[in-house]
Amino acid sequence: MNTKWAVNLMRKEIYRIIGTSDENNLYNRIYNYFMLVVIVISLIPLAFKTNNMGFQIIDKVCVTIFIIDYILRLITADYKYNSKSVFSFLRYPFSFMAIIDLISILPSISAANSVFKMLRLMRMVRTFRVFRVFRMARHSKSFRIITKVFKNSKGPLAAVGTLAIVYILISALIILNVEPNSFNSFFEAVYWATVSLTTVGYGDIYPITTAGRVVTMLSSVFGIAIVALPAGIITAGYMEEIEEERKHPDEDSQK
């Protein structure tokens, strides 16, 4: 009985260090800063095309730390969900951040373990390591605020995203029929519409007729308005979250 109590006490202390966002907890702050540094270091090899021994050592050390972090979070899942049920441990691996953790770990395992050699056929496997940057949302207060903004504004952002997709498809259909000689497929028209919507303008595909250019001008003008909507929504949400942080500075630490 004493052993079980000691184990539970140890798991609770581990969760206070790795699973909360208590700025008054020195060990929690140190752990978050340490993990942020590890995440940044783990991304360094991705900035180079070569894969020398030094980069391999960096990746192995960092992924070992990530695996330990994943295991510690798994064994303290009951404290995260405030439930002593075994389902807490089954629920955690399917949470968003746990999936991100697994995606960021798996490429390094696949490179070292023959069981996952089939994954090495995928060029995207190495790219999956970029997902490690999303781990910062757990350890950085700024990232946590931005995550809250997207979570609280998902309704308006989804509406704007739907509007943008519909606008792109309609623009693509119009330009494809107005100027069929400049676009070989509907995909090229969608590509053009997307570039026009974002006002990037690569210039690799463009209309040459007067009617096509008129459509392009209209698409670009309306595109500016559609692109500006998410920026306004996110900015307003960010300011609300900053204000909430000022009113309730200890709210995160109590979760």
Side-chain angles (χ1 to χ4, degrees):
M1 191 67 178
N2 290 334
T3 303
K4 183 178 180 180
W5 178 83
V7 170
N8 288 334
L9 181 61
M10 182 178 66
R11 291 195 307 110
K12 185 176 182 180
E13 288 301 315
I14 291 175
Y15 178 73
R16 287 187 66 248
I17 295 174
I18 71 171
T20 60
S21 303
D22 189 357
E23 293 187 353
N24 296 321
N25 188 331
L26 177 61
Y27 297 109
N28 176 254
R29 284 192 326 216
I30 293 175
Y31 186 80
N32 285 331
Y33 289 141
F34 170 74
M35 289 302 297
L36 285 173
V37 171
V38 173
I39 292 169
V40 172
I41 293 176
S42 72
L43 295 173
I44 292 177
L46 295 179
F48 300 87
K49 290 185 176 181
T50 58
N51 188 21
N52 54 44
M53 182 62 67
F55 288 160
Q56 292 178 16
I57 293 174
I58 289 175
D59 187 66
K60 288 180 180 178
V61 172
C62 290
V63 81
T64 299
I65 295 173
F66 293 152
I67 291 173
I68 294 173
D69 178 77
Y70 183 89
I71 293 173
L72 292 177
R73 292 182 185 279
L74 178 61
I75 65 176
T76 58
D78 53 338
Y79 290 103
K80 173 180 174 63
Y81 297 112
N82 196 24
S83 172
K84 295 301 180 181
S85 172
V86 69
F87 291 105
S88 298
F89 303 101
L90 298 177
R91 177 184 174 186
Y92 177 75
F94 297 98
S95 65
F96 176 76
M97 287 306 302
I99 292 173
I100 292 295
D101 291 344
L102 193 60
I103 292 175
S104 65
I105 291 171
L106 190 58
S108 296
I109 297 178
S110 66
N113 196 322
S114 59
V115 176
F116 298 97
K117 278 186 177 179
M118 54 179 290
L119 293 177
R120 299 176 70 179
L121 299 176
M122 300 167 54
R123 183 64 179 170
M124 289 297 294
V125 168
R126 186 171 187 267
T127 309
F128 284 161
R129 297 178 186 178
V130 178
F131 278 83
R132 293 171 183 175
V133 72
F134 293 107
R135 297 173 64 100
M136 291 184 177
R138 178 185 285 140
H139 305 287
S140 171
K141 182 178 179 180
S142 298
F143 272 81
R144 285 197 297 271
I145 292 176
I146 294 174
T147 301
K148 285 183 181 179
V149 170
F150 277 95
K151 184 178 180 180
N152 295 335
S153 306
K154 60 183 178 182
L157 289 175
V160 173
T162 302
L163 175 63
I165 292 173
V166 171
Y167 182 76
I168 288 172
L169 294 177
I170 293 176
S171 297
L173 287 172
I174 293 175
I175 198 66
L176 185 63
N177 287 275
V178 169
E179 194 162 338
N181 294 329
S182 298
F183 301 90
N184 297 322
S185 65
F186 181 66
F187 176 78
E188 287 192 357
V190 170
Y191 168 76
W192 165 87
T194 304
V195 171
S196 298
L197 174 69
T198 57
T199 66
V200 174
Y202 289 117
D204 52 344
I205 301 177
Y206 53 89
I208 57 176
T209 65
T210 301
R213 288 173 178 173
V214 170
V215 172
T216 300
M217 288 188 293
L218 293 174
S219 177
S220 298
V221 170
F222 284 105
I224 294 173
I226 294 176
V227 170
L229 286 174
I233 294 171
I234 293 172
T235 301
Y238 185 79
M239 296 305 297
E240 289 179 3
E241 285 298 327
I242 291 295
E243 189 65 27
E244 283 295 320
E245 286 287 329
R246 291 174 180 173
K247 292 180 179 178
H248 309 287
D250 298 327
E251 184 176 334
D252 286 340
S253 63
Q254 295 172 356
K255 291 182 179 181

